[in-house]
Amino acid sequence: MDIRKVKKLIELLEESGIAEIEIHEGEESVRVSRHGSAAHAVVQAAPGGPSVAPAGPETQARAAATAAREELPEGHVIRAPMVGIFYESPAPGRAPFVELGKSVRAGDVLCVIEAMKIMNQIEADVAGTVSRILVRNGEPVEYGQPLFIIREA
Amino acid sequence: MELRRAILARLSDGVFHSGATLARDLGRSRTAVWKGVRGLVGAGLDIFAIRGKGYRLAEPLELLDAGLIRDSLDAEAARALNRLDVFFTLVSTNDFLLREARPHGNVVLAEFQTAGRGRRGNRWVSPPASGICLSLGWRFESAPDSLMMLSLFSAVAVLRALQCCGITGVGLKWPNDMVHEDRKLGGILVESRGQIAGAVDVVIGLGLNVRLPPNVGASVDQPVTDLASIGGAAPSRNRLAALSIAQLLRMCRDCQAGETPAYLQEWRNHDVGRGRPARLKLPDREVAGRVLDIDERGLLIMQIAGREQRFSSGELSLRLGA
């Protein structure tokens, strides 16, 4: 998990007055709790497979994660323009279009989203560095779901 | 490649041509001609070579002719068409148009694709001059609601073109395979390129088997068929290409204008999956159940373990039985 996101969570916690925030993202989760005036973070990777949490708290965590992401100042968010399956490479066994830390130019293909045998090449609309990849290869994505964060050059 | 095309043009009448005559007419050595023929055979063509008589195609064939295709377009299609190119060999007609800055209204055909593509790295195999390998580019200035349906509607457009040639009885398998008695006749791969907001460039690729050499089935991983087998005589490739281009251009305009209900209904009328047991291969798993229908957004509806589920992607294989 990105250290800046953890930092942001700590800031959120301090501003809000709530005691604890826990969010899950893929196989990773982070819990930030407040003891007295100091906040400390626990980051852990789930032991394989997506983490299962009761619906209520998870939904809240998702909301918190989304809120945190919306506010992340770190870069430009590329969102899914459509419902479909996310592919990181042009075909199975081929190298991904982009990797973490790689620089991209506006117009470069970042991924393919497939729906009904329409392969949509999603292009970067800004130049910069890929600082986050938020979806895994083969996962279904929803309309408007954040896919990448690009730190603008 | 020019030599191969020239040899094929000579052989297209289906009668014997001696190596010496071909070499003289084409201004090349007999060895060069022999190598050219060997290249055509390697690409999947059925050519007899008989000592003392020369070379002959197993079946006569019709090469594509850009002028002929252009002249066969109706007035409406001719206006919508920007550019039409016919190549003997391309890596892939979709790749060719996807590389263009503005493919809108452009059509490209190839007698032979060295790396014809299907979905997710699947290959599209088609020996030279045995089918239609065609791509068409279109720019939607603002993505219409029906953009996702484009791959279904493209198949309907091709069915309409086939009907104009008197070919009926072709069915559709979700999302856009053209099939006849569960054998694949053709397929469509739509690729789009665009930024999140704004204009979307779409390339619609069509692969349609017109007359396959008898040995082609061996190199394909599913049962295939061709128009010559299902309709008696194979239709003219140039006429079929022109009709397909005209119907696809019309479909793009209808899609942009939102005039699509007829396409959805026609798709449903030709659905060969409805009510049949089927498996759907997803990126991470496979599901089995029964095909119910498609919904108004084109999603596949399946009954799986008593529950209705909808899918936007996957490879569907139908099974026999009720």
Side-chain angles (χ1 to χ4, degrees):
Chain A
M1 195 165 286
D2 194 311
I3 192 67
R4 280 173 307 234
K5 175 169 286 181
V6 177
K7 188 162 171 280
K8 186 72 195 171
L9 282 173
I10 294 170
E11 286 167 16
L12 274 173
L13 190 76
E14 286 177 337
E15 287 163 13
S16 69
I18 56 172
E20 190 171 280
I21 296 178
E22 180 170 350
I23 69 165
H24 296 258
E25 228 183 59
E27 292 183 354
E28 290 179 330
S29 67
V30 57
R31 186 172 69 235
V32 186
S33 61
R34 183 198 297 273
H35 292 293
S37 60
H40 76 254
V42 182
V43 181
Q44 59 184 142
S51 57
V52 181
E58 194 193 30
T59 311
Q60 286 166 17
R62 281 243 178 94
T66 307
R69 192 174 292 147
E70 299 291 354
E71 290 174 30
L72 283 179
E74 63 190 87
H76 177 80
V77 182
I78 304 280
R79 293 171 190 278
M82 59 190 294
V83 171
I85 305 283
F86 172 93
Y87 294 110
E88 63 179 10
S89 67
R94 299 268 300 274
F97 290 107
V98 290
E99 283 171 75
L100 214 55
K102 288 282 161 66
S103 63
V104 293
R105 293 166 303 176
D108 281 359
V109 177
L110 300 174
C111 65
V112 164
I113 296 179
E114 180 196 15
M116 276 148 341
K117 225 170 145 190
I118 303 188
M119 315 303 293
N120 296 272
Q121 297 184 354
I122 308 300
E123 295 175 355
D125 52 357
V126 295
T129 309
V130 179
S131 66
R132 291 295 306 271
I133 300 176
L134 302 162
V135 189
R136 274 176 301 173
N137 191 41
E139 270 183 6
V141 293
E142 292 296 327
Y143 177 81
Q145 185 174 336
L147 306 173
F148 298 92
I149 293 180
I150 295 179
R151 199 165 52 238
E152 288 180 65
Chain B
M1 283 312 156
E2 264 317 298
L3 177 63
R4 287 191 196 178
R5 192 196 179 282
I7 294 172
L8 193 55
R10 297 287 166 134
L11 296 181
S12 63
D13 56 11
V15 302
F16 275 108
H17 295 262
S18 78
T21 311
L22 287 171
R24 189 192 61 222
D25 290 357
L26 302 174
R28 303 292 291 266
S29 70
R30 288 182 67 173
T31 311
V33 168
W34 176 76
K35 281 185 180 159
V37 169
R38 206 173 52 168
L40 290 169
V41 171
L45 277 176
D46 219 4
I47 300 175
F48 304 134
I50 294 179
R51 192 178 292 273
K53 293 181 92 172
Y55 306 106
R56 170 168 103 72
L57 268 173
E59 299 278 356
L61 57 77
E62 179 194 0
L63 288 178
L64 295 173
D65 179 326
L68 212 56
I69 295 171
R70 226 177 269 122
D71 292 346
S72 314
L73 292 175
D74 59 60
E76 195 188 1
R79 270 197 304 276
L81 179 75
N82 180 45
R83 207 189 68 219
L84 185 143
D85 294 310
V86 174
F87 292 93
F88 186 64
T89 307
L90 279 183
V91 170
S92 137
T93 54
N94 263 30
D95 283 353
F96 184 87
L97 282 188
L98 278 168
R99 270 202 293 273
E100 292 192 352
R102 195 178 166 87
H104 183 70
N106 293 348
V107 171
V108 59
L109 294 110
E111 297 286 10
F112 182 58
Q113 298 183 107
T114 54
R117 291 184 293 115
R119 191 182 158 271
R120 295 302 298 156
N122 291 346
R123 283 196 327 135
W124 177 260
V125 178
S126 182
S130 65
I132 304 281
C133 298
L134 174 161
S135 293
L136 179 151
W138 195 265
R139 168 170 289 195
F140 291 95
E141 290 299 342
S142 61
D145 293 341
S146 51
L147 189 63
M148 296 233 306
M149 308 280 281
L150 209 58
S151 87
L152 280 75
F153 295 166
S154 299
V156 172
V158 176
L159 282 199
R160 289 180 178 182
L162 291 174
Q163 282 157 8
C164 294
C165 290
I167 296 161
T168 54
V170 177
L172 297 176
K173 180 173 77 88
W174 187 86
N176 61 22
D177 278 358
M178 284 154 269
V179 297
H180 185 265
E181 291 173 355
D182 284 341
R183 290 172 171 273
K184 186 157 173 172
L185 187 65
I188 285 163
L189 180 70
V190 182
E191 294 182 89
S192 81
R193 186 188 61 196
Q195 295 173 4
I196 308 308
V200 189
D201 285 316
V202 172
V203 172
I204 301 170
L206 165 68
L208 189 61
N209 301 328
V210 177
R211 182 192 286 277
L212 294 174
N215 54 346
V216 83
S219 57
V220 183
D221 61 357
Q222 58 179 316
V224 292
T225 189
D226 57 21
L227 293 173
S229 314
I230 69 167
S236 154
R237 291 173 70 226
N238 285 303
R239 176 152 184 263
L240 186 57
L243 288 167
S244 302
I245 292 163
Q247 292 291 349
L248 286 169
L249 286 168
R250 172 190 274 181
M251 186 275 303
C252 287
R253 286 202 312 275
D254 288 346
C255 211
Q256 182 77 76
E259 290 162 7
T260 54
Y263 289 92
L264 183 59
Q265 189 53 49
E266 254 176 271
W267 197 98
R268 283 190 164 126
N269 291 346
H270 290 91
D271 184 4
V272 298
R274 191 175 312 164
R276 286 174 63 181
R279 307 182 77 80
L280 185 70
K281 203 168 143 196
L282 302 167
D284 54 342
R285 70 204 155 101
E286 198 173 290
V287 295
R290 183 180 301 275
V291 176
L292 296 178
D293 199 355
I294 59 166
D295 71 11
E296 68 290 344
R297 292 174 301 160
L299 301 187
L300 176 73
I301 312 174
M302 281 180 77
Q303 176 99 12
I304 294 161
R307 269 184 60 221
E308 209 178 287
Q309 290 191 45
R310 288 165 199 240
F311 299 93
S312 66
S313 181
E315 287 193 32
L316 182 69
S317 45
L318 300 169
R319 287 175 300 149
L320 292 171

